[in-house]
Amino acid sequence: MSEADPAALAERIAAAEKAAVAQALNLIEDRRQRSQGRIEALLGRLRERAGMQRVGLTGPPGGGKSTLTAALARELRERGDTVGVLAVDPSSTRSGGALLGDRARMSFDPADQGLFVRSLATAGDTGGLAYAAHAVTEVLSAAYDRVVIETTGVGQTETDVEHVADTICLVIQPGSGDVLQFIKAGIMEIPDVLVVNKGDHGALAQRAASDLAGALDALRGVGMAEAGDDWRVPVLVTSARDRTGIDALVDTLDAHRAAQGAAGQRERRREGETHWTLSLLLRRHGEHGLEVLGGRTEVAGRIRAALDAGAIPIAVSADLGRDYLRRVASAGID
Amino acid sequence: MSSNGARATQRDRPWIMRTYAGHSTAKASNELYRTNLAKGQTGLSVAFDLPTQTGYDPDHVLSQGEVGKVGVPVSHIGDMRGLFDQLPLDQMNTSMTINATAPWLLALYIAVAEDQGVDRKLLQGTTQNDLIKEYLSRGTYIFPPAASLKLTADVVAYTVNEVPKWNPVNVCSYHLQEAGATPVQELAYALATAIGLLDTVRAGGQVSEDQMPQVVGRISFFVNAGIRFVEEMCKMRAFTELWDRITHERYGVENPKFRRFRYGVQVNSLGLTEQQPENNIIRIVLEMLAVTLSKDARARAVQLPAWNEALGLPRPWDQQWSLRAQQILAYETDLLTYADIFNGSDVVTDRVRKMVEEASQEIEDIQARGSVVEAIESGYLKQRLVESNAERLRAIERGEQVVVGVNKYLEGADSPLMTDRDSAIMTVGSGVEQEAIAAIKTWREQRDGAAVEKALAELREAVKRGGNVMPPSIAAAKAGVTTGEWAQALREVLGEYRAPTGVAGARVSEGEGDSQKTVEGLRARMDVLEKKLGRRPKMLVGKPGLDGHSNGAEQIALKARDVGFEVVYEGIRVTPEQLVASALEEGVHVIGISILSGSHLELVPQVVERAREAGIASVPIVVGGIIPVSDARRLENSGVARVYTPKDFELNTIMGDLVELVQSSAEA
């Protein structure tokens, strides 16, 4: 494949040209050293679409997330927004191979230029999101009005989607007792929106929703639910199958964006970028790298400052990496 | 002489003999049926084409290449009239392999019977109408599982009073075996399906409680018979025993007549080989024994495949050869003069007992998950089948399961039946699709548009209300509604479904020995390739067209994952345009296409062409399916990198090719 000039590629991405978006994603996933410069150059040139929103759909397996993602994308398209979907799938670690089955559950109009779906294997990462997920999201954010990131995970396992998305929806199916227990016990990070999918299960779904609402109220009573005052976590019932509740979900996403405000969104993304930069550094240089650079808090502070000054994560991580290698070389640390 | 003695003995009535048939047009199929009946066939078995099975008219984009291919297109009452021209329906016993659109095809059949002046109460035959196995294996479902079960229940409730001799449902274990099911899984999943269906009928309130025995008595089964014919025969006895128990205990049926396990058979097509295909006629005969030898568990209707099905579509002579096999067994041998010849056999009793125990346990497990619907929606059943099938293929590849002419005894003289491979199968005329498109346009112009609209509105309304789908469907049939319109009306109300594929979560045990060494070797090559490409080699697997037989595509996807590909599994029923859009968006390095319906010449070149337009011409495309040799050459000339047919059973070899293709396209 020809190696397009990053500036030209960025322009074509801004015009939501599918071939360009695809090409950029292929580049982003490229882990060869010689590609890192071009990746950096590309990411440095991307500008996200004004007012765009990143939505995370996460939850335990079997909650119907891929069907819900498809229904959500369709609803958003009907309202005139363009949509990029990133479907993250767990990987088989032994062979390095993976089966990405989400596309089989979605049916889209292939002629629609305003909808782009990409599957991503987690390539053995422990969190739900892959190494490339942040960068992929950056690319999609430059091309589409909404980016929907679908990933599996719940409870104590870190889902990572919180580091990418502006609005996190936890999707569960009726009868998911574990999730309720996690929430009640306060050991689960509270998402922005709770979705009980498979509302077609009728009474069972309604009961699950009221159980969740009750658990949230109890947590509010002890000050453990929402962090701020501007947002009350709603509990929605959807049926991806019957396409009910999807319009309410989109309304809720809009409402969350409004409540979050531009500043709130910026702050959340900055936290996510900090986390991403840190994980890039860790991936390359491990705990030893962190230690040599002065420990996690110190490094996080440096990252934050560099990002606030306008640098992009991948460049900041590369800078820190060079610093690490310099220190190792000069101090003779092993 | 004993022959005199035999003649004096009361012979049992033979089973109904059918041949699964239909192609091109209603007229051509009607001629075929009349010829088959003249040859001594005693029942009809209608094969519908895929657009008819999945509810599309011939001019729908998804119908491209599929019209008249695997069966006859029936788009409206005119086609149905033509199909049964000069065949008095009160004298026919007609089996229709139709599922998602079963209520509609039955409605057309009833409407034609009334045309012929035949009372619907006299109609005899079967609608397959088992959607559960469609989600698991055959892929011609349209609606979500619960809605599908409701439609099936409607047909049951309607026929029990209105068409009392009709078998409204043929619960199929046949396709479960094709999807890889073990005998115990076949027993369990089929019976769980029957339970799910009967529970739905009972809960639906359309049938009174005291009519339940009749309802139970109308449920029939459609079974596969594989080559391990002793075990298969035991399986049939286990079915008989379990069904007797379930109908008695769960549904309180006292009359033994209504508890009989009534079943029809198509003997196994999956095990038929492309290599030395003449051997298949022997396999077919042995498999037939499994479902006929034991009188207490004997099939009521048998249809046999043809010896050359792995090569392409059988010709009339090929089907006749199979019919003759049935006739010889039924009329020449002494089989039908004896009582059950296995009663009192310790071996058989013991084997049956074990199967009954294991299957009962598996049925309980499914019930513990809620019902068969939950087991479908969660992907549980599908995943179990995908796993079993992977085991089966692995056993053949390792040579543990002997297949003569395939993995053992490969040397042999050339078959005189195969001197000209292209004329050893039938080809469907190329003008069929265009004719069907022109014909349906004329049909739509000539009918009463207002009556059609009214009928469709009433149909939608009835389904929305939860009413029985049959009466408004019969009215729609008479008004001239088309198959595509009927299905579209229901899609609007019930929604469309994409079933779990079962591949993503399937666990496959690691192999051993040479095969495992090959896999390790491939993985090492993939790692090198990954370094070269900068990312994991990625593959798209999908099935363009309407063919839903996804077992092969699933196994390719699983194997590709095992050797280290990132596999995007696109599933069934995609257009060439969708496949190419997915390939582009996903950034894949190779595209794998599977087509079993014979529409490869129409669909594959479109994929190649669109890939070129999308700027991904460098991505190699491989195709698998039942593809005649000359077609394979044409595909390769049009830009396809490799073509695989049933003889290519060594998945490792295919994987080696894929790695090489990706490698050379990366170097290009």
Side-chain angles (χ1 to χ4, degrees):
Chain A
M1 244 162 261
S2 61
E3 301 197 342
D5 161 46
L9 197 54
E11 250 172 60
R12 289 167 59 209
I13 291 167
E17 199 186 305
K18 272 193 181 183
V21 175
Q23 211 178 334
L25 298 184
N26 296 347
L27 174 63
I28 291 290
E29 286 190 48
D30 190 337
R31 288 195 289 270
R32 283 174 299 184
Q33 192 53 44
R34 70 175 180 87
S35 301
Q36 300 314 302
R38 291 177 58 230
I39 295 176
E40 221 175 290
L42 173 67
L43 290 176
R45 280 179 172 80
L46 292 177
R47 294 288 166 267
E48 68 184 34
R49 291 179 69 79
M52 69 84 47
Q53 184 184 30
R54 302 169 177 182
V55 179
L57 289 188
T58 185
K65 287 186 298 300
S66 40
T67 332
L68 182 62
T69 301
L72 176 61
R74 199 166 303 149
E75 177 72 24
L76 288 168
R77 287 299 292 131
E78 278 171 18
R79 294 197 187 189
D81 277 2
T82 59
V83 183
V85 174
L86 173 60
V88 184
D89 248 297
S91 170
S92 135
T93 45
R94 194 168 142 56
S95 68
L99 245 165
L100 308 158
D102 272 351
R103 273 199 113 91
R105 303 301 302 278
M106 306 175 173
S107 71
F108 293 125
D109 174 8
D112 183 357
Q113 295 303 311
L115 178 65
F116 190 103
V117 182
R118 178 84 164 200
S119 317
L120 193 65
T122 50
D125 279 8
T126 43
L129 280 192
Y131 141 82
H134 282 270
V136 170
T137 306
E138 292 285 321
V139 172
L140 294 178
S141 301
Y144 302 105
D145 299 327
R146 309 236 199 185
V147 174
V148 180
I149 304 130
E150 183 218 326
T151 174
T152 300
V154 75
Q156 289 162 308
T157 58
E158 191 188 8
T159 62
D160 264 1
V161 75
E162 63 190 89
H163 301 299
V164 187
D166 305 326
T167 303
I168 298 158
C169 307
L170 178 69
V171 183
I172 63 169
Q173 61 175 331
S176 313
D178 318 2
V179 177
L180 186 62
Q181 293 314 319
F182 284 146
I183 288 179
K184 272 186 177 166
I187 52 175
M188 198 182 82
E189 197 77 33
I190 304 294
D192 302 304
V193 181
L194 277 162
V195 180
V196 178
N197 193 27
K198 303 197 177 173
D200 37 280
H201 287 219
L204 200 58
Q206 292 303 335
R207 196 166 64 236
S210 60
D211 285 351
L212 282 171
L216 280 176
D217 276 341
L219 286 175
R220 283 187 192 109
V222 294
M224 281 177 64
E226 296 87 353
D229 300 331
D230 316 345
W231 183 249
R232 271 176 76 86
V233 176
V235 181
L236 304 180
V237 178
T238 57
S239 167
R241 192 196 84 186
D242 299 347
R243 283 202 72 185
T244 54
I246 312 295
D247 50 346
L249 176 58
V250 174
D251 291 345
T252 304
L253 296 178
D254 288 344
H256 186 251
R257 174 161 58 184
Q260 191 172 43
Q265 192 190 63
R266 205 158 39 238
E267 177 54 27
R268 193 183 277 202
R269 285 191 190 169
R270 185 54 42 86
E271 278 172 26
E273 286 167 359
T274 307
H275 179 269
W276 176 27
T277 315
L278 202 55
S279 66
L280 285 173
L281 186 70
L282 271 168
R283 188 185 173 85
R284 209 161 176 79
H285 303 294
E287 289 293 337
H288 188 248
L290 272 191
E291 201 184 299
V292 170
L293 288 169
R296 187 176 287 262
T297 318
E298 163 79 20
V299 174
R302 277 181 69 185
I303 293 173
R304 181 69 200 232
L307 292 174
D308 284 344
I312 63 166
I314 194 163
V316 175
S317 138
D319 273 350
L320 285 166
R322 279 189 287 274
D323 188 14
Y324 161 69
L325 294 175
R326 249 194 324 273
R327 289 189 194 199
V328 171
S330 65
I333 306 172
D334 55 23
Chain B
M1 280 297 287
S2 63
S3 64
N4 284 336
R7 247 173 236 136
T9 316
Q10 173 90 33
R11 281 183 81 90
D12 291 324
R13 218 166 56 159
W15 52 89
I16 297 170
M17 299 177 195
R18 311 186 204 266
T19 308
Y20 184 56
H23 67 88
S24 303
T25 61
K27 187 167 183 295
S29 302
N30 172 265
E31 281 162 17
L32 179 64
Y33 296 163
R34 284 191 279 140
T35 327
N36 285 349
L37 290 168
K39 287 175 183 167
Q41 187 177 298
T42 51
L44 293 175
S45 170
V46 182
F48 294 99
D49 73 352
L50 286 167
T52 306
Q53 293 189 48
T54 49
Y56 295 107
D57 287 336
D59 53 352
H60 190 278
V61 56
L62 275 167
S63 300
Q64 266 182 66
E66 306 280 16
V67 178
K69 276 278 164 52
V70 301
V72 57
V74 173
S75 302
H76 45 69
I77 192 171
D79 287 342
M80 198 60 125
R81 262 184 218 125
L83 191 61
F84 291 99
D85 181 35
Q86 300 173 58
L87 296 170
L89 293 189
D90 51 347
Q91 290 163 45
M92 292 296 126
N93 189 314
T94 309
S95 168
M96 297 195 250
T97 300
I98 198 73
N99 294 281
T101 52
W104 173 241
L105 273 300
L106 179 57
L108 289 171
Y109 194 79
I110 291 170
V112 168
E114 288 178 8
D115 266 8
Q116 292 186 355
V118 170
D119 183 352
R120 62 177 75 155
K121 293 212 159 43
L122 298 177
L123 296 179
Q124 289 190 66
T126 307
T127 32
Q128 193 166 79
N129 206 10
D130 167 13
L131 273 299
I132 297 300
K133 63 91 173 55
E134 296 296 329
Y135 301 117
L136 294 176
S137 167
R138 201 168 163 274
T140 69
Y141 58 83
I142 303 175
F143 316 111
S148 292
L149 265 189
K150 162 71 169 65
L151 291 177
T152 306
D154 281 358
V155 177
V156 174
Y158 178 83
T159 52
V160 75
N161 290 316
E162 294 295 318
V163 200
K165 291 177 166 178
W166 195 261
N167 300 309
V169 184
N170 236 350
V171 176
C172 295
S173 79
Y174 177 88
H175 311 83
L176 303 178
Q177 184 176 106
E178 296 229 315
T182 62
V184 167
Q185 285 175 329
E186 255 187 87
L187 286 163
Y189 299 176
L191 292 169
T193 300
I195 290 171
L197 171 65
L198 285 172
D199 285 359
T200 307
V201 172
R202 184 155 66 174
Q206 294 193 65
V207 177
S208 66
E209 191 61 36
D210 49 324
Q211 258 193 321
M212 273 310 280
Q214 277 89 327
V215 168
V216 170
R218 287 324 299 168
I219 303 299
S220 57
F221 291 78
F222 186 63
V223 175
N224 203 337
I227 194 69
R228 294 165 56 84
F229 73 96
V230 178
E231 183 175 60
E232 292 291 74
M233 189 273 294
C234 293
K235 178 185 81 188
M236 298 324 305
R237 290 172 72 100
F239 256 129
T240 305
E241 200 175 314
L242 280 162
W243 187 239
D244 185 71
R245 191 195 295 171
I246 291 167
T247 49
H248 192 241
E249 288 173 5
R250 193 176 180 97
Y251 302 104
V253 179
E254 292 300 332
N255 185 345
K257 197 179 90 182
F258 294 138
R259 301 206 304 262
R260 265 186 48 213
F261 183 80
R262 300 180 311 123
Y263 74 102
V265 173
Q266 158 91 22
V267 317
N268 184 21
S269 291
L270 180 67
L272 300 185
T273 64
E274 184 180 351
Q275 294 93 326
Q276 303 182 15
E278 65 280 2
N279 298 342
N280 290 328
I281 195 72
I282 299 151
R283 294 192 176 96
I284 290 166
V285 169
L286 292 172
E287 288 163 351
M288 170 170 57
L289 296 181
V291 293
T292 50
L293 286 185
S294 168
K295 182 178 175 179
D296 291 351
R298 184 171 293 153
R300 294 180 62 258
V302 175
Q303 50 190 43
L304 301 180
W307 67 283
N308 54 350
E309 277 190 13
L311 307 175
L313 282 182
R315 301 158 299 183
W317 179 83
D318 307 312
Q319 297 196 323
Q320 176 188 311
W321 201 14
S322 292
L323 175 63
R324 294 295 182 242
Q326 292 204 52
Q327 290 168 330
I328 290 168
L329 179 66
Y331 303 119
E332 285 190 24
T333 78
D334 57 349
L335 176 67
L336 295 180
T337 61
Y338 292 103
D340 194 291
I341 57 179
F342 298 104
N343 286 346
S345 155
D346 293 344
V347 175
V348 170
T349 307
D350 189 52
R351 188 75 193 94
V352 172
R353 186 181 50 79
K354 282 208 183 85
M355 281 189 186
V356 165
E357 279 169 13
E358 289 172 30
S360 304
Q361 185 57 51
E362 183 70 42
I363 293 171
E364 271 175 40
D365 288 352
I366 294 169
Q367 295 306 116
R369 288 170 180 272
S371 77
V372 74
V373 170
E374 270 89 32
I376 290 291
E377 287 181 339
S378 69
Y380 167 77
L381 290 181
K382 180 67 188 171
Q383 190 173 318
R384 295 289 310 269
L385 289 176
V386 170
E387 289 168 356
S388 298
N389 205 20
E391 280 308 313
R392 188 184 67 85
L393 292 178
R394 199 184 290 270
I396 296 177
E397 205 168 333
R398 283 203 298 255
E400 291 165 8
Q401 187 178 328
V402 171
V403 185
V404 171
V406 173
N407 61 9
K408 214 159 186 190
Y409 313 117
L410 308 186
E411 297 306 312
D414 290 339
S415 162
L417 285 173
M418 294 292 293
T419 41
D420 177 5
R421 283 190 61 133
D422 283 333
S423 65
I425 51 171
M426 194 176 79
T427 41
V428 171
S430 57
V432 162
E433 185 161 325
Q434 288 317 312
E435 274 170 42
I437 291 174
I440 195 146
K441 289 194 168 137
T442 313
W443 178 267
R444 290 199 199 106
E445 279 159 19
Q446 291 177 350
R447 64 192 180 170
D448 176 352
V452 166
E453 284 314 314
K454 181 165 168 286
L456 284 170
E458 281 167 10
L459 172 67
R460 268 190 295 264
E461 190 44 45
V463 175
K464 216 175 283 175
R465 249 197 351 259
N468 193 300
V469 73
M470 286 307 298
S473 296
I474 295 169
K478 291 177 181 166
V481 163
T482 69
T483 300
E485 290 163 346
W486 180 87
Q488 184 54 31
L490 265 66
R491 281 186 178 98
E492 284 162 21
V493 181
L494 304 172
E496 275 188 85
Y497 191 64
R498 305 271 304 165
T501 61
V503 289
R507 277 177 295 276
V508 182
S509 65
E510 292 285 333
E512 52 205 41
D514 287 350
S515 144
Q516 185 54 20
K517 260 182 230 145
T518 315
V519 169
E520 294 295 350
L522 287 168
R523 285 180 184 168
R525 285 172 66 191
M526 288 289 285
D527 289 343
V528 174
L529 199 48
E530 179 180 17
K531 290 220 167 64
K532 187 179 182 65
L533 296 166
R535 61 190 174 107
R536 268 275 131 190
K538 201 172 182 183
M539 177 179 190
L540 178 72
V541 177
K543 287 178 65 61
L546 291 172
D547 165 37
H549 292 83
S550 54
N551 307 324
E554 287 154 8
Q555 293 304 320
I556 290 290
L558 272 187
K559 189 77 192 191
R561 177 195 67 181
D562 282 355
V563 303
F565 275 98
E566 279 182 3
V567 182
V568 177
Y569 184 68
E570 172 103 78
I572 61 167
R573 237 182 278 172
V574 289
T575 60
E577 196 181 1
Q578 275 168 330
L579 261 178
V580 171
S582 297
L584 174 73
E585 291 177 24
E586 296 288 356
V588 299
H589 299 99
V590 56
I591 301 172
I593 297 174
S594 155
I595 302 178
L596 276 71
S597 65
S599 57
H600 44 265
L601 284 184
E602 287 83 357
L603 295 174
V604 177
Q606 282 192 50
V607 177
V608 175
E609 184 50 36
R610 286 183 181 277
R612 195 171 298 147
E613 284 166 15
I616 52 171
S618 61
V619 177
I621 298 172
V622 300
V623 180
I626 299 176
I627 298 172
V629 186
S630 59
D631 289 4
R633 234 168 285 133
R634 283 173 68 180
L635 292 179
E636 279 160 1
N637 289 338
S638 79
V640 169
R642 294 274 193 290
V643 175
Y644 298 103
T645 64
K647 73 175 183 317
D648 303 298
F649 66 96
E650 285 182 330
L651 293 180
N652 283 341
T653 310
I654 298 177
M655 293 302 133
D657 289 353
L658 295 181
V659 174
E660 208 168 287
L661 284 171
V662 175
Q663 209 160 351
S664 37
S665 85
E667 279 157 9

